[in-house]
Amino acid sequence: MTQSSNTARELRLPDFVGVGPGRTGTTWLHEVLKGHVNLPAGIKETDFFTTNYNKGIEWYADHFRDADRIRPTGEINPYFGFPEAAERIAIHIPRCKIICTFRNPVERIYSAYKLWRHYTLTNDPLDVFLVKVPQIIEVTRYATHLPDYRARFGNDRVLVLLNDDLRADPQAYLDRVCDFIGIERYPVPASAAAGEPINSINDLPRFPRAARRARKFMHWLEDKQAYATTNFLEQAGAWKLAFGGGPKFPPLDPAIEARLHELMRPEIDALEQMIGRDLSAWKSPRAKSSRAPAGASAAQGK
């Protein structure tokens, strides 16, 4: 499907997109931006530039139908690592600002695996899962995909944020986002001030069969754009009840952790050079190296 950017400009489309990838603090960012920018109506992630692209740009723009013309409009959606998404964003909103949120790659990979297990999307052990779903590692190749966004949108329109900084100083992290998207700085809400993951996954479903039925129902509601029902069930605790309550996830197996660190080391080394940050804390298990990346350069995000 193709659509000219001229037509897109007649629609209300995002001024910025937080492309993720997922499990890097995207939910935290979405929640703290609520009320300060225009976000999609009723849902956090439209997945338009990936799985829902065939629904058309008008379908996407309809999610911003209530957006005012005063505040910036945006979406926080994990499009990072999907080259077709970067291309489509550039076609429809070429002046869009891009926010990339990066996390220790090994932590992100294990967190993504836990999410899949939590929602009964896989029952495979991690090593088997990563072979079957290579996209999990692919979207964690930050240095591989960051240059594509910078080339399409310009260095000054691509902001790179590190999850380590969110944990260390949530206010400074949010301030950088506010400055980038062009809104006044404001205090981080008390509920998010600790910088801890809002959407952390710690346990498996107590009843996997019921969880699978709940997942299919949840996706059916989203496909029908029954966002109000989905949100009501979430607020009522239905999804938490359906997908949690079972055994807790154990720490990542040290042998697998070591292999993942070795696999991702070239990406980390390359990213260091791209953003001018010391990422040595990402190069070995946190138990051995707990120091957060330091020394943000003036070139960060540019």
Side-chain angles (χ1 to χ4, degrees), residues 159-181:
L159 175 68
V160 174
L161 299 171
L162 302 184
N163 189 261
D164 303 70
D165 296 336
L166 170 58
R167 294 177 179 180
D169 190 340
Q171 187 63 61
Y173 186 93
L174 177 59
D175 288 347
R176 291 195 65 204
V177 174
C178 292
D179 295 346
F180 180 68
I181 63 178

Side-chain angles (χ1 to χ4, degrees), residues 94 96 148-159 301-302:
C96 184
D148 186 29
Y149 277 99
R150 286 180 162 179
R152 292 182 185 278
F153 298 94
N155 288 2
D156 61 330
R157 302 186 76 83
V158 178
L159 175 68
K302 295 185 179 180

Side-chain angles (χ1 to χ4, degrees), residues 16-79:
F16 69 91
V17 177
V19 296
R23 315 311 299 165
T24 60
T26 56
T27 299
W28 186 93
L29 187 56
H30 175 87
E31 291 299 318
V32 299
L33 286 175
K34 279 183 178 179
H36 299 273
V37 299
N38 298 300
L39 294 168
I43 189 171
K44 173 179 175 279
E45 300 169 4
T46 67
D47 293 332
F48 172 67
F49 292 108
T50 48
T51 57
N52 288 324
Y53 192 61
N54 64 337
K55 294 183 178 180
I57 193 68
E58 290 80 10
W59 177 89
Y60 182 53
D62 188 58
H63 287 82
F64 307 100
R65 60 189 177 275
D66 299 325
D68 57 52
R69 295 286 174 174
I70 301 173
R71 300 173 298 176
T73 295
E75 179 184 23
I76 310 299
N77 199 309
Y79 295 123

Side-chain angles (χ1 to χ4, degrees), residues 238-254:
W239 302 138
K240 184 177 181 179
L241 179 65
F243 300 117
K248 300 294 183 182
F249 282 100
L252 179 58
D253 177 81

